[in-house]
């Protein structure tokens, strides 16, 4: 029975844990509940992925109503792939949080803090699983509202977390409202909110201004959440000032979920003809992606705060995502998906490593990294591996994603773009080089009594680092999964019930 | 007949809005808002009869309550500057400060 | 008007009045449930919330500074796009718009035969799209828990003392 | 010597009808406009009126924040619980059809419980938010901040 | 000419809500006061609600509550969506205002430019400290 209902339990079990955490009297109990829920979600997402590969599409009818009337959860290889990313990063962050969270959050706040973490986590799972466009908005709001609060929780150590959260709230709400406006336009045209049904009914029409404007609003709305280049203003501050666990969770997952929503809209709802043939969107995405890569990387070079440096690097990475999408071929899509998974692992492990440093030194400026190579060997070596991976050194996952991006660019015959991808990596070398140089070559300040981070934080960090290496050496697993996911995205009408067929 | 009622209520609403915009003192504005709320209630009631669904009087009733509560909140805020003090105590200052043009 | 006034107190009253007015509009467009909610939330709860926030933070707004060009530019762009988009929409009240003929008849008959309650909005809200409402309650719960997290403890002395420096 | 005696009496008289009206909106929502959310807001606004007139301390005595918080979680928990009941009775998540022997009666039960959960969650959340904001009113505004 | 006139009537509601929407966005972008920004955001959202409800209206229809006397109903689905959206709106407002209150405590002001100036001063202090 659990197998049959797994699609919904995967989301609803963590969601049920949110109110449960309110009742927990001691923080440890709340932590136990939350960790158990994320581990369940992790196991569930693997099973779901296997099921989706076998069955093609899993459709779960909520309330027992058939899809265009009721809401359905619609899982194919693409979303269950994203589910794995989200629940993996979520589980790792929760385990890591046992020692990290008490440092940054007051103990009386912790049960509610875990409630928020659970809401954020299950909101992201919901966005990923749902097959209904408005339901996607509702879950997006659960996830965004809780992440505003989570970012603001960094105010215990720095008041700038509050302004960061406020900016995030303003832009996030505008983004969500844009999404709703776009949805309204599409609804007027099609009379339905089910994504698959919209796709079928849109396929016949073209040239309607309402359709184009609706499409544009949806893309801009999601773009604000994804922090694609001109819409990224909220991201650096939010990532810099949030508590370490929150940053790792958001950096690893939130942009990935938004990216998934974007891909779903581009490929499934507005089947690729509209975005890429009628509106030639790739000519917009390509320059935006390139500017994002270069501008964000250059800004990252001048940051004195490591978290902020990593945040700018995230914006640069979202440029790579856009590049992959702009190739508008299956190779580019696969590369984007591979990079999505790899970036989630690398960026989370980097932020977790920075979290370890903050745990011991209380600061994350580049200066406070001086001499940590000797003092915190495990943390810093994990950081180095993560950094190398971001640069794209062979035998790390970063190399795999860059490799496939370059291949896809060559497949299109866009030589300069391939060259630009490599040049972007060079910039990454410089900004990571600064931190690593400080950690290994500069002497530590004299009277510092910094020691290695506790094992409970190192273990999850190294779990990510090892998978970063293992999947970098044996890339077959991620690439084949991503290819299956890409194919699922490009086959919009698969597995539709007869009354909804084209 | 009902249509005439709607029109006159709309006219009254416009007048209330004018007072709300111009209203030199806070009292004027509070009164205008309260009156505007009352007119909206009337409008909904008449509109319900006009379209043949008088069961929507429920909504008018709810509006009346909400309007009452928000007017009290506004007045209390005007008198006490804050909303925690019980109203069994006298207000902080007995006069509402004069409006500055704005 | 709401844009211009620099004292926030009348602005709040105005937005309360605006909310009531829009609720009346909703009634005239047959959306009674929405009107109900908008009045209760916009005129009631939101007004009280704004007032209490203002009484904590002060009610005088500084005159706006900086250039108006960029907001105006964004605004015109947005308006142009929206008008372009609405131009192709079915006219207001058109009974043959695709939105009214695709799923709607089934919802209406379904409410009669499958659910058996008169209020179609309730039946869609709680049953056909019950999962949305679950999420909606979740959003409210998130807001409640979030405000609790942010404001539960009294005024934080420490933040005042060192004005937010790193510890 | 009490100030605002008329207002105090009026508020005392108003609060019970408002609560009653909230209950009417809650349970009549299937037949007319209204439902859990609207009822929750009206229910909370009755308490807010009480708090406005009699002060926050008095409101805290009637509705302590910790209880309100638990009620908030319980309301949402009830909704999710109804969802799980659908799974437990052999249907889909949120499937009310099997909550009773007759599918239509089952729908009625399900909608009733769900609206109740929404009402509880909304009323207590609004109250909690109001209390949080009100608890911070410690500083006097000066006249020129107006 | 006549055609243009009727179509302008047919879309008047949409235009009105577009006007409100843009003024909402204008407030958010141009005003420095954080509470004003939230009010603008609210205005923006309410106008979106109007857009949706206008889409749902059917001429000659009545409120979607079955009575046995009426046969044409306005489209209830947008109403359902907007109910959800109103709830989301009030949730956002509550969290936004809570953040504003905390910002006031932490900075002593809720004007954007003053906050930016305070942050800048702090960053320069940090840079000097290193």
């Amino acid at each position: 029975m659990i197998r049959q209902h797994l699609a919904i339990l995967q989301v609803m079990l963590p969601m049920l844990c949110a109110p449960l955490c309110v009742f927990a009297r001691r923080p440890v109990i709340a932590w136990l509940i939350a960790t158990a829920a994320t581990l369940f979600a992790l196991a569930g997402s693997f099973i779901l992925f296997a099921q989706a590969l076998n069955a093609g599409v899993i459709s779960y009818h909520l309330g027992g109503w058939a899809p265009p009337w009721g809401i359905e959860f619609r899982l194919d290889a693409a979303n269950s792939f994203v589910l794995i990313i989200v629940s993996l990063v979520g589980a790792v962050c929760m385990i890591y949080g046992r020692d990290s969270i008490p440092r940054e959050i007051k103990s009386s706040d912790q049960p509610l803090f875990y409630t928020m973490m659970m809401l954020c986590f299950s909101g992201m799972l919901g966005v990923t699983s749902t097959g209904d466009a408005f339901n996607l908005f509702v879950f997006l709001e659960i996830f965004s509202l809780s992440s505003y609060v989570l970012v603001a929780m960094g105010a215990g150590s720095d008041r700038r977390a509050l302004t960061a959260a406020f900016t995030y709230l303003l832009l996030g709400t505008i983004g969500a409202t844009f999404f709703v406006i776009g949805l309204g336009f599409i609804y007027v045209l099609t009379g339905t909110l089910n994504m698959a049904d919209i796709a079928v009914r849109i396929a016949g029409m073209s040239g309607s201004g309402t359709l184009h404007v609706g499409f544009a609003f949806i893309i801009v709305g999601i773009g604000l959440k994804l922090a694609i280049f001109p819409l990224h203003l909220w991201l650096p501050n939010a990532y810099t000032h949030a508590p370490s666990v929150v940053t790792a969770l958001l950096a690893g997952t939130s942009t990935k979920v938004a990216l998934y929503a974007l891909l779903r809209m581009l490929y499934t709802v507005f089947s690729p003809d509209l975005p890429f043939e009628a509106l030639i969107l790739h000519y917009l995405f390509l320059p935006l992606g390139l500017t994002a890569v270069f501008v964000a990387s250059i800004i990252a070079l001048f940051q004195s705060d490591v978290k902020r440096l990593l945040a700018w690097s995230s914006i640069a990475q979202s440029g790579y995502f856009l590049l992959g999408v702009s190739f508008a071929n299956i190779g580019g899509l696969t590369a984007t998906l591979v990079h999505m998974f790899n970036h989630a692992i690398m960026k989370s492990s980097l932020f977790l490593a920075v979290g370890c440093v903050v745990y011991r030194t209380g600061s994350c400026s580049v200066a406070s990294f001086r001499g940590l190579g000797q003092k915190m060997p495990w943390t810093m070596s994990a950081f180095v591996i993560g950094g190398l991976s971001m640069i794209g050194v062979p035998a790390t996952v970063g190399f795999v994603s860059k490799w496939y991006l370059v291949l896809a660019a060559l497949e299109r015959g866009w030589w300069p773009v391939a060259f630009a991808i490599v040049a972007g990596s060079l910039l990454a070398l410089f900004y990571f080089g600064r931190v690593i140089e400080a950690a290994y070559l500069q002497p530590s300040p004299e009277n510092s009594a910094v020691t290695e981070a506790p094992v409970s934080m190192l273990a999850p960090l190294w779990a990510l680092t090892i998978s970063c290496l293992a999947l970098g050496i044996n890339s077959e697993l991620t690439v084949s999964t991503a290819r299956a996911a890409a194919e699922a995205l490009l086959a919009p009408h698969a597995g539709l019930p007869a009354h909804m067929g084209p | 007949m009902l249509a005439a009622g709607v029109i006159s209520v709309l006219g009254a609403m416009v007048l209330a809005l004018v007072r709300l915009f111009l209203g030199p003192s806070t009292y004027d504005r509070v009164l205008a808002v309260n009156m505007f709320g009352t007119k909206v209630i009337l409008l909904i009631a008449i509109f319900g009869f006009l379209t043949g669904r008088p069961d929507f009087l429920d909504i008018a009733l709810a509006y009346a309550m909400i309007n009452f509560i928000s007017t009290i909140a506004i007045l209390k805020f005007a008198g006490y500057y804050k909303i925690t003090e019980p109203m069994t105590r006298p207000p902080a200052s007995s006069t509402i400060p004069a409006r500055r043009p704005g | 008007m709401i844009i211009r006034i620099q004292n926030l107190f009348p602005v709040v009253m105005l937005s309360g009045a605006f909310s009531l007015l829009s609720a009346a509009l909703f009634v005239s467009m047959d959306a009674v449930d929405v009107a109900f909610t908008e009045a209760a939330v916009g005129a009631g709860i939101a007004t009280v919330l704004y007032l209490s926030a203002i009484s904590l933070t002060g009610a005088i707004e500084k005159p706006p500074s900086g250039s108006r060009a960029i907001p105006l530019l964004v605004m015109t762009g947005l308006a142009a796009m929206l008008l372009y988009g609405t131009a192709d929409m079915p006219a207001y009240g058109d009974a043959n718009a695709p939105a009214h003929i695709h799923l709607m008849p089934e919802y209406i008959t379904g409410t009669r035969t499958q659910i058996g309650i008169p209020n179609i909005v309730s039946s869609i809200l709680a049953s056909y799209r019950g999962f949305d409402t679950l999420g909606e309650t979740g959003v409210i719960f998130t807001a409640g828990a979030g405000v609790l997290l942010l404001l539960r403890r009294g005024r934080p002395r420490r933040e005042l003392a060192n004005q937010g420096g790193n510890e | 010597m009490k100030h605002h005696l008329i207002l105090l009496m009026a508020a005392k008289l108003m609060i019970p009808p408002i609560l009653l009206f909230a209950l009417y909106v809650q349970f009549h929502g299937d037949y007319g406009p209204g439902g859990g959310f609207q009822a929750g807001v009206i229910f909370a606004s009755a308490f807010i009126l009480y708090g406005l007139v009699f002060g926050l301390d008095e409101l805290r005595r009637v509705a302590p924040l910790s209880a309100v918080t638990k009620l908030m979680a319980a309301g949402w928990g009830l909704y999710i619980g109804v969802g799980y009941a659908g799974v437990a009775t052999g249907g889909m998540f949120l499937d009310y059809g099997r909550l009773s022997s007759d599918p239509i009666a089952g729908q009625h039960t399900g909608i009733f419980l769900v609206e109740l959960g929404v009402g509880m969650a909304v009323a207590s959340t609004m109250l909690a938010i109001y209390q949080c904001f009100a608890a911070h009113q410690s500083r006097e505004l000066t006249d020129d901040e107006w | 000419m006549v055609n243009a006139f009727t179509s302008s009537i047919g879309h008047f509601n949409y235009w009105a809500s577009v006007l409100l929407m843009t003024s909402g966005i204008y407030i958010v972008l141009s005003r420095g006061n954080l509470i004003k920004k939230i009010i603008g955001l609210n205005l923006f959202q309410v106008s979106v609600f109007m857009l949706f409800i206008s889409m749902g209206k059917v001429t000659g229809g009545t409120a979607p509550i079955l009575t046995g006397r009426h046969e044409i109903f306005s489209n209830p689905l947008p109403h359902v969506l907007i109910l959800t959206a109103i709830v989301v709106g009030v949730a956002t407002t509550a969290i936004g205002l809570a953040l504003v209150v905390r910002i006031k405590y932490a900075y002593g002001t809720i004007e954007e430019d003053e906050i930016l100036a305070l942050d800048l001063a702090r960053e320069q202090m940090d840079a000097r400290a290193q």
Side-chain angles (χ1 to χ4, degrees):
Chain A
M1 191 177 105
I2 287 186
R3 282 183 79 86
Q4 186 201 338
H5 293 288
L6 197 59
I8 184 73
L9 291 183
Q10 152 94 358
V11 179
M12 288 323 290
L13 206 74
M15 201 157 262
L16 181 64
C17 290
L20 278 186
C21 284
V22 174
F23 290 103
R25 289 192 177 277
R26 291 174 46 218
V28 183
I29 298 174
W31 177 79
L32 271 179
I33 297 175
T35 312
T38 48
L39 287 176
F40 172 83
L42 181 61
S45 61
F46 277 113
I47 301 173
L48 278 173
F49 184 70
Q51 284 183 356
L53 275 189
N54 278 336
V57 172
I58 309 170
S59 170
Y60 189 92
H61 302 173
L62 284 150
W65 303 111
W69 292 278
I71 293 170
E72 72 168 334
F73 266 23
R74 199 177 167 74
L75 290 167
D76 55 19
N79 12 3
S80 41
F81 178 65
V82 182
L83 282 183
I84 294 180
I85 300 179
V86 173
S87 51
L88 179 70
V89 175
V92 169
C93 288
M94 284 318 294
I95 296 172
Y96 178 91
R98 197 181 79 98
D99 277 326
S100 161
I101 289 174
R103 230 342 132 81
E104 299 178 31
I105 310 293
K106 296 190 192 71
S107 71
S108 59
D109 281 346
Q110 280 177 29
L112 276 175
F113 181 80
Y114 285 112
T115 305
M116 280 294 156
M117 288 290 271
M118 277 297 96
L119 285 168
C120 187
F121 180 69
S122 50
M124 286 193 277
L125 292 179
V127 169
T128 315
S129 314
T130 188
D132 188 280
F134 194 79
N135 198 234
L136 190 148
F137 162 73
V138 173
F139 276 112
L140 195 69
E141 276 301 321
I142 293 187
F143 139 62
S144 326
L145 279 174
S146 51
S147 55
Y148 309 146
V149 178
L150 286 173
V151 168
M153 289 314 287
S157 49
D158 192 331
R159 62 178 176 177
R160 277 172 292 180
L162 295 171
T163 34
F166 190 79
T167 322
Y168 187 15
L169 179 131
L170 279 185
L171 292 177
T173 310
I174 292 179
T177 315
F178 270 31
F179 183 79
V180 174
I181 298 175
L183 211 57
F185 281 27
I186 301 300
Y187 175 73
V188 160
L189 282 183
T190 60
T192 177
L193 291 165
N194 185 293
M195 290 199 235
D197 201 18
I198 293 177
V200 171
R201 296 175 63 84
I202 272 184
M205 37 182 114
S206 61
S208 154
T210 310
L211 180 65
H212 291 170
V213 172
F215 173 73
F217 270 90
I218 288 182
I219 297 303
V220 172
I222 299 177
L224 268 166
K225 297 272 175 195
L226 173 59
I228 54 180
F229 177 62
L231 309 172
H232 64 277
L233 291 169
W234 56 269
L235 189 139
N237 280 328
Y239 281 13
T240 311
H241 301 301
S244 322
V245 181
V246 175
T247 313
L249 180 70
L250 289 183
T253 53
S254 72
T255 47
K256 312 297 170 296
V257 168
L259 177 66
Y260 158 75
L262 183 74
L263 292 178
R264 179 61 78 188
M265 287 294 159
L266 284 178
Y267 287 99
T268 306
V269 177
F270 303 93
S271 52
D273 316 345
L274 173 71
F276 295 117
E277 280 167 30
L279 296 180
I280 39 175
L281 207 61
H282 39 286
Y283 290 117
L284 176 67
F285 278 1
L286 184 70
L288 280 184
L290 283 176
T291 350
V293 169
F294 284 103
V295 174
S297 302
I298 289 169
I299 294 176
L301 274 176
F302 297 101
Q303 297 304 320
S304 60
D305 182 305
V306 180
K307 267 178 149 180
R308 190 179 286 271
L309 185 151
L310 291 177
W312 280 104
S313 143
S314 272
I315 298 170
Q317 302 301 318
S318 73
Y320 287 118
F321 294 141
L322 276 194
L323 284 183
V325 175
S326 74
F327 297 146
N329 53 16
I330 189 153
L333 190 56
T334 313
T336 302
L337 288 167
V338 169
H339 191 42
M340 188 165 157
F341 184 78
N342 294 344
H343 181 244
I345 296 183
M346 311 188 272
K347 211 22 104 37
S348 308
S349 75
L350 281 170
F351 272 117
L352 290 181
V354 176
C356 289
V357 174
V358 175
Y359 184 80
R360 285 301 183 204
T361 67
S363 155
C364 52
S365 61
V366 176
S368 69
F369 272 65
R370 278 177 303 182
L372 287 185
Q374 284 85 42
K375 303 263 181 178
M376 303 176 75
W378 287 100
T379 310
M380 283 320 293
S381 44
F383 186 87
V384 169
I385 293 171
L388 289 178
S389 179
M390 291 298 288
I391 298 165
V393 173
T396 56
V397 285
F399 176 71
V400 181
S401 17
K402 296 277 163 63
W403 176 252
Y404 279 92
L405 272 174
V406 171
L407 277 190
L410 294 184
E411 192 186 322
R412 258 323 269 222
W414 292 351
W415 282 92
V417 178
F419 177 73
I421 294 172
V422 179
S425 307
L426 224 64
L427 282 172
L429 176 66
F430 285 122
Y431 58 75
F432 278 107
R434 276 180 60 222
V435 183
I436 295 169
E437 189 242 17
Y440 282 95
L441 298 181
Q442 293 185 10
S444 62
E446 270 130 43
N447 48 6
S448 86
V450 177
T451 50
E452 187 54 84
V455 180
S456 67
M457 292 167 75
L458 282 180
L461 169 61
W462 269 91
L464 283 184
T465 310
I466 289 170
S467 58
C468 183
L469 287 173
L471 295 174
I473 293 164
N474 178 13
S475 60
E476 196 44 45
L477 190 62
T478 31
V479 174
S480 60
T481 340
R483 192 172 296 276
E487 276 160 9
L489 274 177
L490 286 172
H493 301 319
L496 280 183
H499 63 275
M500 281 162 66
Chain B
M1 197 56 214
L2 285 173
V6 169
I7 290 164
S8 57
V9 168
L10 279 176
M13 280 165 82
V14 171
L15 289 177
L17 271 183
V18 169
R19 187 40 62 202
L20 187 55
F21 285 142
L22 299 180
S25 81
T26 305
Y27 277 133
D28 292 324
R29 296 193 179 182
V30 174
L31 260 178
V33 167
N34 196 11
M35 177 178 157
F36 190 77
T38 317
K39 294 296 166 279
V40 170
I41 296 161
L42 274 177
L43 188 69
I44 289 171
I46 301 179
F47 198 82
F49 283 102
L50 199 65
T51 52
R53 306 284 302 249
D55 34 339
F56 299 152
L57 278 179
D58 285 6
I59 307 174
L61 215 62
Y63 277 34
M65 285 170 187
I66 297 294
N67 198 26
F68 174 68
I69 291 170
S70 61
T71 306
I72 287 185
I74 288 174
L75 280 173
K76 179 162 186 197
F77 180 74
Y80 293 78
Y81 303 139
K82 57 175 111 171
I83 54 174
T84 28
E85 295 286 302
M87 287 179 103
T88 42
R89 268 183 251 147
S93 67
S94 51
T95 52
I96 289 178
R99 283 254 60 73
R100 288 186 305 205
Chain C
M1 188 66 189
I2 296 183
I3 307 175
R4 279 300 171 82
I5 298 189
Q6 275 166 24
N7 188 319
L8 291 173
F9 184 47
V11 173
V12 169
M13 290 199 284
L14 268 176
S15 65
F18 168 68
S19 171
L20 275 175
L21 186 64
S22 59
L25 262 176
F26 291 153
V27 172
S28 78
M29 291 191 272
D30 297 339
V32 277
D33 281 271
V34 178
F36 214 144
T37 318
E38 176 60 36
V41 168
I45 297 290
T47 307
V48 172
L49 284 186
Y50 280 132
L51 286 177
S52 36
I54 287 176
S55 76
L56 289 168
T57 56
I60 293 292
E61 183 194 13
K62 269 186 27 176
S65 56
S67 103
R68 295 192 178 174
I70 296 171
L72 276 176
L73 204 69
V74 173
M75 200 177 145
T76 5
L78 194 71
M81 265 187 82
L82 283 167
L83 289 178
Y84 172 63
T86 46
D88 279 357
M89 274 193 189
Y92 172 73
D94 181 2
N96 291 319
H100 307 321
I101 49 177
H102 178 41
L103 298 176
M104 220 27 60
E106 287 89 343
Y107 276 133
I108 292 172
T109 49
T111 302
R112 272 204 189 98
T113 55
Q114 295 168 319
I115 298 182
I117 62 173
N119 189 344
I120 307 176
V121 174
S122 278
S123 81
I124 297 181
L125 187 80
S127 192
Y128 288 108
R129 296 186 69 87
F131 197 59
D132 264 357
T133 314
L134 194 153
E136 169 199 320
T137 321
V139 170
I140 272 292
F141 175 75
T142 314
V147 173
L148 273 174
L149 258 180
L150 288 172
L151 292 182
R152 186 175 43 167
R153 63 189 68 252
R155 190 170 188 186
R157 296 279 159 218
R158 195 172 44 76
E159 270 181 33
L160 274 182
N162 68 3
Q163 289 289 308
N166 286 340
E167 283 164 278
Chain D
M1 176 63 193
K2 276 193 171 182
H3 281 260
H4 307 297
L5 189 60
I6 296 175
L7 183 64
L8 288 179
M9 288 316 291
K12 266 188 183 164
L13 281 177
M14 283 288 282
I15 288 171
I18 294 183
L19 289 178
L20 195 65
F21 184 70
L23 291 177
Y24 163 78
V25 172
Q26 169 88 51
F27 298 120
H28 195 259
D30 301 351
Y31 304 96
F37 184 77
Q38 293 90 334
V41 172
I42 294 175
F43 205 82
S45 62
F47 280 94
I48 289 176
L49 175 63
Y50 188 77
L52 277 175
V53 176
F54 295 98
L56 180 68
D57 294 335
E58 192 66 12
L59 178 64
R60 278 195 175 138
R61 195 178 55 78
V62 180
L65 192 56
S66 59
V68 172
T69 315
K70 298 219 161 77
L71 202 64
M72 192 165 93
W76 198 34
L78 176 63
Y79 202 132
I80 301 180
V82 176
Y84 278 109
V87 174
T89 51
M92 296 302 217
F93 192 85
L94 279 176
D95 195 344
Y96 314 136
R98 301 174 199 229
L99 291 180
S100 170
S101 50
D102 169 40
I104 289 189
Q107 289 287 346
H108 276 271
T109 323
I111 291 177
F112 176 82
L113 286 175
V114 159
E115 295 271 15
L116 191 65
V118 175
M120 271 163 71
V122 170
S124 45
T125 306
M126 292 303 164
L127 208 49
I129 292 176
Y130 171 75
Q131 288 201 16
C132 281
F133 274 100
H136 280 259
Q137 318 266 316
S138 57
R139 67 187 264 283
E140 293 278 348
L141 278 169
T142 52
D143 272 7
D144 48 278
E145 273 186 287
W146 274 75
Chain E
M1 184 65 208
V2 173
N3 212 345
F5 182 73
T6 47
S7 85
S8 72
I9 291 291
H11 290 87
F12 178 73
N13 273 39
Y14 302 144
W15 293 350
S17 51
V18 167
L19 183 71
L20 285 169
M21 250 183 247
T22 46
S23 38
I25 283 282
Y26 178 75
I27 296 178
V28 176
L29 292 178
S30 69
R31 299 292 133 155
N33 187 297
L34 301 185
I35 290 190
K36 198 72 164 284
K37 273 177 191 286
I38 292 188
I39 292 178
L41 204 61
N42 235 350
L43 185 63
F44 180 50
Q45 287 176 325
V46 173
S47 50
V48 175
F49 304 160
M50 285 188 184
L51 187 72
F52 264 74
I53 300 296
S54 313
M55 291 170 186
K57 170 75 182 170
V58 175
T59 311
T62 175
I65 296 175
L66 301 171
T67 53
R69 286 181 286 123
H70 302 274
E71 277 312 312
I72 309 172
F73 300 102
S74 283
N75 190 340
L77 192 62
H79 302 180
V80 175
L81 305 186
I82 290 315
L83 276 179
T84 309
I86 289 179
V87 174
V88 169
V90 72
T92 315
T93 308
I95 290 196
L97 287 176
L99 279 174
V100 172
V101 170
R102 287 289 299 269
I103 288 176
K104 173 74 177 179
Y105 287 157
Y107 288 84
T109 174
I110 53 167
E111 296 290 339
E112 199 178 31
D113 44 354
E114 291 173 15
I115 292 171
L116 286 177
L118 283 171
D119 275 350
L120 197 67
R122 217 188 106 67
E123 262 158 36
Q124 282 163 352
M125 215 174 69
D126 281 354
R128 239 176 286 133
Q130 279 172 21

